[in-house]
Structures are given as structure tokens and as C-alpha cells.
Amino acid sequence: MSISNGQLAAIKVALFLLCLLPLAWLGWGAWQDALGPNPIETIQRDLGIWTLNLLVATLCVTPLRRMSGWAWLGRLRRMIGLFAFFYALLHFLGYVWLDQFFDWNAIAKDIFKRPFITVGFAAFVLLIPLAATSNRFAIKRLGGRRWQTLHRAVYPIAIFGVIHYWWLVKRDVATPALYALAVLFLLGLRALWREQERREQLAGKYAPQQPPRLRSRIIPIVSRRD
Amino acid sequence: MMHILPSEITPAQTYFDRRKFIGAAGALALSGLLPASAAAQSLIARKSPLSVLETPTPRDDIVNYGNFLEFASDKHGHVERSKLMAVRPWTVTVEGLVAKPRRFAIEDLLKLPLEERIYRHRCVEGWSMVVPWVGFPLSALLNQVEPLGNAKYVEFISHVDPAIMPNVRRQLLDWPYLEGLRMDEALHPLTLIAVGLYGEVLPKPNGAPLRLVVPWKYGYKSAKSIVSIRLVEHPPNTVWMKAVPDEYGFYANVNPGVDHPRWSQAKERRIGEFFKRTTLPFNGYADQVASLYAGMDLRKFF
């Protein structure tokens, strides 16, 4: 299914508003004092969960595009990725401001001593260059291949994000396990496809028309007598 | 001759089940009455000098936020689900190494002299509240059964019902919930059996109809909905020690100097406040309880 530019623009606007919904929900809840007895915990948990949701969503784009053949899906990924960064940034700011209230000493201790914070912070830091290069200019400047290599950092970022969640829960890891399964599945799918391509390549599917010329020197074993 | 219409003849099954029907009707009538009366049942309690002078957390927050792990893993799922828990009739056995083991009905316990004790409550997760409990010292109960000389520890076993407790069905922990105290901790005047909150009978989400409250320890020590109290010679293997021994110790004294392996315990968020508070050693009860642990390495016995 291919779609017109107008349709794509409409989809983008809808997606943009959809991605803002969780934040609007939190904002409304804060305004109405409806975030429960521990609103800071609610805010931080929701921002974290939506960062993960959006990271998983970006990882879904390529498999969905491949399976459906809808190339335009790829053109939504930048927005989803930038929203993932946006929620990660809010999650980080929420930690610094609401949770720790700029207690830099405690924050530094947390980052270095608490593995779940270390790994969450690492995921956030890794997201920064990706967000910074999410534009046409950066792609041109870096070159497509290098840009793509850089943006594959989203794989470890997603893994770090899930570990961050897993390590912070007290006992019940059912929900983090669901995210782990989703990420493993989406990354596994890529590994599988890559392996298939490699095999097909070996089998000669992508082989060039002309076989490479063997240029070996023939070393005479027996000297010819004239 | 009387004419009896077929429709007026009671079906045999209904006739044979008539007692069940009467019983069910009775239970229905009672269940209609009980929760209403229980919810409104206020308790007469004298004010205790052991109360702290801090402002109690609003009742709604105390009831709607917390951990009741049998019912839910988040902080609020237990509120709805615990409504299915029947808290009458309820009995507690107090047995083990005692001269006079006994089974107490909750009604009898509610007749004991009750006190209102406003205690700080600190969860191991880093949040805290100020709770106006109503109850009696655990020692008042233990003295009635006359502990034997070799009773060194007390263990508390909570109610367990897989039919209404999703995390019991999932075997999230090795149920039933089991906690324990050293004998001197159990007999300490601060150690309370709570049967009420804010002057009324204890709400189900808070561990109705009776729970333990040990204010200088992290909240998970204070077992909810207790059905059995046993006096034993050896340290009980508590439910949390079985699950995660390196994170949850037997003592669980509130200690800002000893972090949880995964997070700091230096500060806490008091529910309803924006800024975090500094956590106090023994949750602010050091004057009363620190001597219980004299000479112990609290880093080792966490």
C-alpha cells in the first residue's frame, strides 16, 4: 500500500498527537491532583514506561515495514524515536528535579553506585547523539552508512532500558519480562533476517553477474626444456 | 379435595437443598449487614503517650496506597481485590512454646483495652507515612498464653486464600506470608497488634482484621491479616529471607546508614510531601529500641 504525501502528513499529525497523550494525561492528573497518594512516583513510572513503549515502537517499524510492504511506515520512525528521547529526557529531569531535587551529590552516588540507575543513565546518554542526528543534515554529513551504524545504538539502548526497569522492581518482574520478550523478539528477528541474507549471499543469490576473475600465478613445477 | 397446581409443587432438589438455601439467605443477610456495620464500627481507644507528634497522613492515602502483595504487586491493586476477603468470623491461634495455647476470636481481641498510637511507618521502598493505629501491645496477647523459657522468637503467619489472591496463585513468594521477631522485640512496648485505623476497625487493604506494627522496622516486617502466632526456639525463616536473602534480612531495622543493595535508604518520601526527608535511625525510635541491638553489627544483621 502506498499513500500520498497528504495522507502521510495526516498520519504524522495523528501520530504526533497520539504521542503527546501520555504527557497530557499526566499533566491533567497533576492539575486535578489525581495522580494518587505518591504523584512523583506515578509521574516517574509513567514517563519511564512511555519511554520504553516508544523505544519498542521504533523497533517495530522495520519488521512491520518488511512484512507489510508499506514503505511509508519507515517515515514515521524519526518522530517515534524523537518522542522516545523526549519522554526519556522528561524521565531524567523528573528524577533530577522531582525525585532528588537537584541533590547532585546523591545523584552522582546513584549513577555510580546503583546499577539500575547506572544502566538507565547510560541508555539516556546513548539516546542523545541519536536525537541530535535525527535530521537530514546529519545523515548527509555522516553519510548513510555511518549514520545507520550510529543509530543501531538503539538496540543496546532498548536492552539497557529493560534492564533498568527489571532491576528496580522489588519482586514481581512480570511486566519487565514482557518488555524483555518484546525487545528480544524484535532484535532476534533482525538477527534472523541478517543470517538469512548471509546464507542467500553465500548461495549466490546476490552474486554479481561475472564471477570474480582468479588471478593466480602459475608456478612451473617442471622447467620446460627448449 | 384440594387442587394443587404443578407449579406450586416445590421441586425435589430445592426441597432437599432447603437448608442450604436458608443458610445462603442468612449469609446474604449477614453479608449485607456486616460490611456496613464493620465499616462504621468505631473503636474506643485511649490516647497513648507513645504516639509521635507529627501530623497523620490522610486516611484515604493510608488506605489506598501500600503493599499487600498477596493481592497485587503495585501500590493500589490490593484495594479493590482485598474487598473479597472475609474478615468475620476470624480467629488467631497463639501457640508453640507456650503454657496455654489459645485460639482467640477477633471479637474477644477487640474487647481488650485499646490504645491509639500514632506511629511513623517507613517502607523499605523509600516512602513513609504517619499512621494513627488502634490496637494493643503484642505483649498483652503473649502474656495470656504464658511463653515458655525456651521461646526465643515469635513468628506471624498471614491469611492465605488463592481463590482471591492472584499473587498467591502465581507463587510470587513462598506463601503464606511469614514474618518473625526476636522475643525481646515482640515484648517491646512499642510492638503493637493493630485492629483499627483512624478510630475505626482496620480497613481490609491495611491488613484487616488484625496486623502487626513494628514502627522501628521496615514495613514488610509488619505482617497483615494474621491467623497464627507461634512462639519458637529458632529464628523463623521469613518469607522475604527465603525469596531474596541478600536484600531483606531478619532484623529490617530502619537504618539510613545501610542501603538496600539496589537503592539508598538515606532519605524517604513522606506521602503528601514534595521534599524528601532524611530517614532517622530506627525510624526515629532509637531512644526506645537501640539498646535491643547493643553490640550488634547492624550492617551484618540488616
Side-chain angles (χ1 to χ4, degrees), chain A residues 85 124-134 138 142 147 150-151 153 157:
Chain A
F85 174 72
F124 171 64
V125 169
L126 281 172
L127 267 175
I128 296 171
L130 272 60
T133 56
S134 283
L142 285 167
W147 184 89
L150 173 67
H151 279 248
I157 288 168

Side-chain angles (χ1 to χ4, degrees), chain B residues 232-296:
Chain B
V232 294
E233 189 170 359
H234 301 290
N237 195 11
T238 70
V239 70
W240 281 108
M241 288 164 74
K242 276 188 265 186
V244 207
D246 58 325
E247 295 192 349
Y248 305 104
F250 178 77
Y251 286 96
N253 292 318
V254 174
N255 190 343
V258 176
D259 287 339
H260 184 281
R262 289 184 284 152
W263 55 79
S264 166
Q265 294 291 29
K267 290 183 179 180
E268 65 198 49
R269 168 151 290 114
R270 176 71 54 84
I271 296 302
E273 293 182 354
F274 178 75
F275 294 105
K276 281 188 173 176
R277 286 170 174 256
T278 305
T279 291
L280 303 170
F282 298 102
N283 204 20
Y285 296 95
D287 287 349
Q288 289 123 294
V289 301
S291 60
L292 295 175
Y293 311 100
M296 283 174 66

Side-chain angles (χ1 to χ4, degrees), chain A:
Chain A
M1 184 181 88
S2 75
I3 58 171
S4 71
N5 281 342
Q7 282 170 316
L8 183 67
I11 290 172
K12 278 187 167 177
V13 169
L15 183 66
F16 186 89
L17 295 174
L18 205 63
C19 288
L20 277 176
L21 267 185
L23 184 65
W25 180 259
L26 278 176
W28 174 255
W31 177 254
Q32 294 293 311
D33 194 14
L35 297 180
N38 196 347
I40 294 174
E41 180 187 62
T42 307
I43 290 169
Q44 281 302 85
R45 188 200 54 217
D46 282 12
L47 291 174
I49 285 288
W50 279 98
T51 306
L52 272 180
N53 289 345
L54 290 162
L55 279 174
V56 169
T58 59
L59 291 178
C60 286
V61 169
T62 298
L64 280 179
R65 193 183 53 188
R66 260 183 91 137
M67 288 187 286
S68 66
W70 299 347
W72 54 270
L73 281 173
R75 295 173 67 185
L76 303 177
R77 189 166 54 188
R78 176 187 298 169
M79 193 197 293
I80 303 173
L82 282 171
F83 264 111
F85 174 72
F86 175 63
Y87 278 95
L89 179 68
L90 291 178
H91 185 59
F92 177 72
L93 292 178
Y95 165 71
V96 170
W97 174 38
L98 301 175
D99 194 54
Q100 299 290 338
F101 203 75
F102 311 107
D103 184 346
W104 299 109
N105 201 14
I107 291 169
K109 256 192 208 163
D110 262 0
I111 290 174
F112 291 107
K113 271 181 74 179
R114 316 277 162 218
F116 90 87
I117 294 186
T118 312
V119 79
F121 184 69
F124 171 64
V125 169
L126 281 172
L127 267 175
I128 296 171
L130 272 60
T133 56
S134 283
N135 54 69
R136 236 176 270 267
F137 175 74
I139 299 175
K140 240 181 237 172
R141 181 95 191 252
L142 285 167
R145 188 161 278 276
R146 263 196 294 174
W147 184 89
Q148 200 177 21
T149 308
L150 173 67
H151 279 248
R152 286 210 174 106
V154 76
Y155 306 156
I157 288 168
I159 293 171
F160 288 176
V162 172
I163 295 175
H164 171 63
Y165 188 18
W166 192 294
W167 280 350
L168 81 86
V169 299
K170 191 160 148 206
R171 177 66 186 166
D172 192 348
V173 291
T175 321
L178 279 179
Y179 282 96
L181 275 179
V183 168
L184 285 180
F185 173 74
L186 291 165
L187 296 188
L189 212 55
R190 287 168 166 81
L192 188 78
W193 282 337
R194 196 169 252 238
E195 178 61 19
Q196 271 173 357
E197 272 163 29
R198 195 182 68 87
R199 288 207 182 151
E200 282 164 1
Q201 213 160 20
L202 282 178
K205 190 176 169 189
Y206 304 112
Q209 298 304 318
Q210 295 236 318
R213 202 178 289 163
L214 295 168
R215 266 198 259 153
S216 53
R217 270 193 350 193
I218 299 166
I219 303 163
I221 311 167
V222 182
S223 61
R224 201 180 292 164
R225 291 190 187 167
D226 291 298

